[in-house]
Amino acid sequence: MAEETGTLAERPERPLPPVRDWPAGELNATEFEPVLAELMREGPLTRIRLPYGEGWAWLATRYDDVKMITNDPRFSRREASVRQVTRLAPHFAPRLGALAWADQPDHNRLRNAVSAAYTVSAVKRLRPRAQQMLDALVDGMVADGPPADLVERVLEPFPINVVCEVMGVPVDERQKLHDWTREIISTAGGAEASEQAKKGLFGWIGEAVRERRDSGSESDSVGGSNGDRVDVLSLLGGAVRRGELGLEEAISVAGPLQIGGEAVTNNSGQMFYLLLTRPDLLERFRDDPASRPAGIEELLRHIPHRAAVGLPRIATQDVDIHGTLVSAGDAVYVSYLAANRDPDVFPDPDRIDFDRDAGSHVSFGNGPHFCTGAVFSRMQIELLIDTLLERLPGLRLAVPADQVPFRQRTMIRGPVALPVTW
């Protein structure tokens, strides 16, 4: 854990660990990233250099350190937004007012503008509609008969429809937004393709927020007198109209929330791949529905949600972590994937154990930047597993496991396709 900076002068200087290059290599299915595994063994702090950006950054891999850094105001996201920190993504142009790059108190101001759309009660109101959308997709797949690509038929369109319902995106515009978000999270198309996709997405969001701002509707919160849901874009339009947010801030808040819907497709794809390639896990879920909630948390802990690391922070003061000086101005990354495999917190961490208490995992982040849509993501995963296993008791892969293609050169990992039969 970190110590007070007043003790640093008393500590002898220690040599810095070598900088480790972390290339964007190809990964097999749901394997844990081998470079990260090496860095964990070398930890608790190592220095890394990613394919893009400048210089090097510290990487924290142990659970306690990850939680401390992500909840400590001495590590600033805002400061990282104005630096070309070493990174995985080829294009880097943070928007003014982006929630992911905000520190307190701005972070709370921005997040509060949409928080009413992401409460437990908001999820309960949306759940019946989400179930209807999912049932319709499964109906269509069953009617066409096997084999089918589970990603194409269910795992991709379902989260797209749910996030678009929450955001307030018209049905005929949803595919366009999905194409943009998929390009943004990819690293294969390069900086130019990513920039064009961002221009398209954020331009569309800007028009939508302006339209809702100018509509003058006073129903700017979820669950009014009639209990109706109000979408995120309407909430943001109302906040801009009341002067609580600037227009550019509202656009910057909405964009990542829309993009975040892609994560459910990839996470659920990895989960179903594991279930369909591990008969013991699938049998447990089928025969013991009561075990599913804990099992889902264990799968969330286990699956490698992303490649490399997420967004960096900058140390605004000198901080001592395990006798290593992180100097003011140093860039710092944390790895939630590594924290979820910390053997001091999750014994035998590479084993999937549905009887484990995995509820303390950090797959949705930690601290002020804990995932805004975590409750919606859990709801969607629960519906997908319950619905598909109960309606398709014979669900199985239609190809050998090693023929299932997985995304490469992307920040969010998951199968490209999941051919199944039943």
Side-chain angles (χ1 to χ4, degrees):
M1 297 296 290
E3 301 175 8
E4 292 300 320
T5 56
T7 65
L8 294 177
E10 304 167 11
R11 293 181 175 273
E13 287 192 15
R14 300 187 181 187
L16 292 173
V19 176
R20 292 287 304 273
D21 284 311
W22 193 346
E26 291 200 358
L27 299 167
N28 295 320
T30 59
E31 74 165 332
F32 192 75
E33 199 153 357
V35 175
L36 180 56
E38 291 180 17
L39 296 171
M40 290 169 64
R41 289 191 290 269
E42 296 172 9
L45 286 183
T46 54
R47 294 197 299 160
I48 60 171
R49 182 165 46 225
L50 294 159
Y52 299 96
E54 300 172 1
W56 56 269
W58 293 105
L59 172 68
T61 54
R62 293 187 184 173
Y63 184 90
D64 287 343
D65 298 332
V66 167
K67 294 202 75 173
M68 180 276 292
I69 290 168
T70 53
N71 210 26
D72 190 323
R74 293 177 296 178
F75 296 94
S76 168
R77 278 278 183 85
R78 183 182 61 82
E79 291 298 319
S81 71
V82 296
R83 295 254 306 265
Q84 289 293 322
V85 176
T86 185
R87 63 184 188 272
L88 179 65
H91 182 67
F92 182 73
R95 295 181 59 87
L96 173 68
L99 191 60
W101 297 104
D103 294 333
Q104 302 295 27
D106 273 347
H107 181 271
N108 278 352
R109 177 177 63 84
L110 296 168
R111 187 161 178 150
N112 286 345
V114 296
S115 60
Y118 293 96
T119 63
V120 172
S121 60
V123 172
K124 288 181 179 178
R125 282 192 294 272
L126 181 63
R127 191 180 185 107
R129 172 63 179 143
Q131 183 70 69
Q132 290 175 352
M133 292 189 292
L134 178 55
D135 286 340
L137 291 168
V138 177
D139 287 344
M141 185 175 75
V142 170
D144 290 342
D149 177 1
L150 194 62
V151 172
E152 178 185 29
R153 297 303 300 263
V154 179
L155 302 185
E156 190 170 65
F158 176 60
I160 293 170
N161 287 336
V162 171
V163 74
C164 286
E165 286 276 323
V166 175
M167 296 297 295
V169 179
V171 173
D172 59 353
E173 297 281 82
R174 292 178 180 180
Q175 184 60 47
K176 178 169 62 179
L177 267 66
H178 171 56
D179 291 342
W180 283 326
T181 57
R182 187 163 47 186
E183 185 63 54
I184 290 168
I185 66 172
S186 172
T187 61
E192 183 176 351
S194 176
E195 175 63 14
Q196 288 301 312
K198 286 182 179 179
K199 285 182 179 178
L201 176 65
F202 286 100
W204 187 95
I205 289 172
E207 289 297 319
V209 172
R210 279 189 287 269
E211 177 184 325
R212 286 155 172 80
R213 176 199 63 190
D214 297 340
S215 70
S217 170
E218 293 304 317
S219 179
D220 295 320
S221 63
V222 173
S225 58
N226 59 1
D228 291 338
R229 290 180 290 107
V230 177
D231 59 74
V232 169
L233 294 173
S234 294
L235 290 172
L236 289 170
V240 173
R241 186 169 60 252
R242 294 188 299 271
E244 297 165 2
L245 296 185
L247 177 60
E248 288 301 314
E249 288 180 322
I251 296 170
S252 297
V253 168
L257 295 176
Q258 181 70 43
I259 295 168
E262 301 290 331
V264 174
T265 294
N266 291 284
N267 291 345
S268 62
Q270 291 194 63
M271 288 185 181
F272 274 98
Y273 175 83
L274 285 170
L275 291 173
L276 297 176
T277 55
R278 290 279 304 272
D280 57 323
L281 302 181
L282 185 59
E283 182 179 359
R284 177 71 181 274
F285 263 16
R286 280 177 172 155
D287 295 348
D288 184 13
S291 72
R292 291 176 192 169
I296 288 171
E297 295 305 313
E298 172 67 349
L299 290 174
L300 284 168
R301 179 198 70 84
H302 179 85
I303 63 174
H305 301 264
R306 61 165 303 116
V309 286
L311 301 180
R313 293 166 171 82
I314 302 295
T316 59
Q317 302 176 27
D318 290 350
V319 182
D320 188 311
I321 302 177
H322 300 294
T324 296
L325 172 62
V326 177
S327 300
D330 283 355
V332 181
Y333 280 103
V334 301
S335 172
Y336 292 123
L337 299 184
N340 281 341
R341 302 286 183 109
D342 187 333
D344 291 338
V345 181
F346 306 103
D348 195 6
D350 295 333
R351 182 169 62 93
I352 300 175
D353 180 3
F354 286 171
D355 295 315
R356 182 200 306 274
D357 181 4
S360 58
H361 69 74
V362 287
S363 299
F364 291 112
N366 181 69
H369 291 281
F370 183 82
C371 176
T372 306
V375 287
F376 275 102
S377 296
R378 280 191 170 97
M379 179 265 285
Q380 292 173 76
I381 290 169
E382 290 170 3
L383 290 180
L384 283 165
I385 287 177
D386 287 346
T387 301
L388 287 167
L389 294 190
E390 289 166 13
R391 291 195 57 184
L392 302 172
L395 187 67
R396 60 192 185 276
L397 285 180
V399 298
D402 60 3
Q403 292 183 21
V404 175
F406 273 72
R407 300 186 188 282
Q408 301 292 343
R409 300 183 66 193
T410 185
M411 289 175 277
I412 302 178
R413 294 176 60 182
V416 177
L418 201 55
V420 295
T421 187
W422 54 91

